[in-house]
């Protein structure tokens, strides 16, 4: 499967001709590194996870996203920044799937240091759930010229991220209703009554942080993409 994926990500013959020798080698190396990191962490997370059912639920979005990236790569490649952020989000999901979001060891240590009453890795996950979708939504809206006014673009991105977060909370609820107690680790509420609302708030904060701090970086990454500097 890994070899097949590498072939799918390789540039077509036409694209190879268009790229000069100076840029093709580094870009090829970056693509290979991206794939190695994705499947390396995925393999690690799948080895003796806390619960295989929870692992599957947590990792499924990363796998679905990967399939979408592979199938759209040659027709509509994304910028390097967005690809790398998607990889980061996937790794966050895989770590959460391996340990469950309530039992990630590093955040247990943080809880002891700072006197937290719970493991807050799930809050990191929901922050990233707003941060990374903001990058994806903004790039798509910009490049497809859906929204040209910058102020409206910000509003559309924020609305999309909040809606996406709400949809994920609904999926968690439907899963819990369908499978019962087996979904407790997937929900990861840890007894916090305002868990759903705080998750959505953190996703909103994540999207705001991206728009404030990474907007110009994304513009540059998209510009580089248009100059054939593909991941």
């Amino acid at each position: 499967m890994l070899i097949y994926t590498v072939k799918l990500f390789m540039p077509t013959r036409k694209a190879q001709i268009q790229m000069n020798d100076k840029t093709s080698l580094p870009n090829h190396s970056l693509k290979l590194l991206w794939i190695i990191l994705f499947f390396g962490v995925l393999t690690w997370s799948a080895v003796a996870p806390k619960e295989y059912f929870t692992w599957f639920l947590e990792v499924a979005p990363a796998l679905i996203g990967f399939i979408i990236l592979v199938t759209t790569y040659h027709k509509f490649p994304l910028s390097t920044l967005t690809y790398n952020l998607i990889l980061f989000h996937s790794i966050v999901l895989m770590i959460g799937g391996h340990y469950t979001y309530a039992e990630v060891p590093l955040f247990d240590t943080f809880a002891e240091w700072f006197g937290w009453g719970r493991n807050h890795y799930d809050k990191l996950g929901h922050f990233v759930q707003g941060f990374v979708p903001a990058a994806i939504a903004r790039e798509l809206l910009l490049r497809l010229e859906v929204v040209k006014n910058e102020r409206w673009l910000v509003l559309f991105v924020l609305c999309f991220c909040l809606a996406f977060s709400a949809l994920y909370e609904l999926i968690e609820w439907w899963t819990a209703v369908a499978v019962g107690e087996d979904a407790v680790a997937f929900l990861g509420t840890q007894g916090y009554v305002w868990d759903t609302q705080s998750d959505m708030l953190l996703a909103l904060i994540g999207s705001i942080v991206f728009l404030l701090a990474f907007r110009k970086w994304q513009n540059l990454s998209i510009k580089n993409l248009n100059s054939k500097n593909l991941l």
Side-chain angles (χ1 to χ4, degrees), residues 10 40 53 59 66 74 77 83 92 112 127 155 163 165 174 187 217:
M10 291 302 100
F53 181 68
V59 172
F66 181 81
H74 291 301
Y83 275 129
V92 170
E112 293 178 5
F127 175 87
L155 178 62
S165 178
W174 296 332
L187 292 175
W217 187 0

Side-chain angles (χ1 to χ4, degrees), residues 34-216:
W34 197 103
I35 294 169
I36 290 173
L37 285 173
F38 184 93
F39 280 100
V41 179
L42 177 64
T43 302
W44 164 82
S45 71
V47 177
K50 181 74 176 181
E51 299 174 9
Y52 270 108
F53 181 68
T54 301
W55 174 84
F56 174 76
L57 292 176
E58 300 292 3
V59 172
L63 297 176
I64 294 171
F66 181 81
I67 293 171
I68 293 173
L69 293 183
V70 170
T71 56
T72 61
Y73 180 74
H74 291 301
K75 292 183 178 179
F76 194 87
L78 300 174
S79 65
T80 299
L81 175 63
T82 300
Y83 275 129
N84 289 339
L85 289 178
I86 291 172
L87 175 62
F88 172 68
H89 194 180
S90 298
I91 291 173
V92 170
L93 292 171
M94 293 170 190
I95 293 173
H98 182 80
Y99 294 111
T100 78
Y101 277 76
E103 299 183 41
V104 174
L106 178 61
F107 279 72
D108 279 339
T109 302
F110 289 160
E112 293 178 5
W113 288 354
F114 300 109
W116 297 339
R118 68 194 300 278
N119 187 305
H120 283 300
Y121 186 79
D122 66 318
K123 300 309 175 188
L124 170 64
H126 284 281
F127 175 87
V128 175
Q129 191 186 70
F131 188 89
V132 177
I136 299 170
R138 185 174 184 274
E139 177 163 339
L140 292 177
L141 291 171
L142 271 176
R143 291 176 57 197
L144 296 175
E145 299 183 344
V146 177
V147 182
K148 296 183 179 180
N149 182 280
E150 182 65 28
R151 292 181 180 179
W152 280 107
L153 179 62
V154 169
L155 178 62
F156 271 68
V157 170
L158 292 178
C159 288
F160 170 81
C161 292
L162 198 53
F164 182 76
S165 178
L167 175 62
Y168 199 81
E169 295 299 326
L170 290 175
I171 292 173
E172 288 185 342
W173 170 43
W174 296 332
T175 303
V177 170
V179 303
E181 293 184 1
D182 290 339
V184 171
F186 177 58
L187 292 175
T189 61
Q190 301 179 67
Y192 182 38
V193 67
W194 302 114
D195 184 72
T196 298
Q197 291 82 355
S198 62
D199 288 348
M200 293 174 63
L201 175 61
L202 281 165
L204 178 61
I205 292 172
S207 63
I208 292 173
V209 170
F210 177 83
L211 292 172
L212 289 176
F214 288 82
R215 185 175 69 251
K216 293 183 178 179

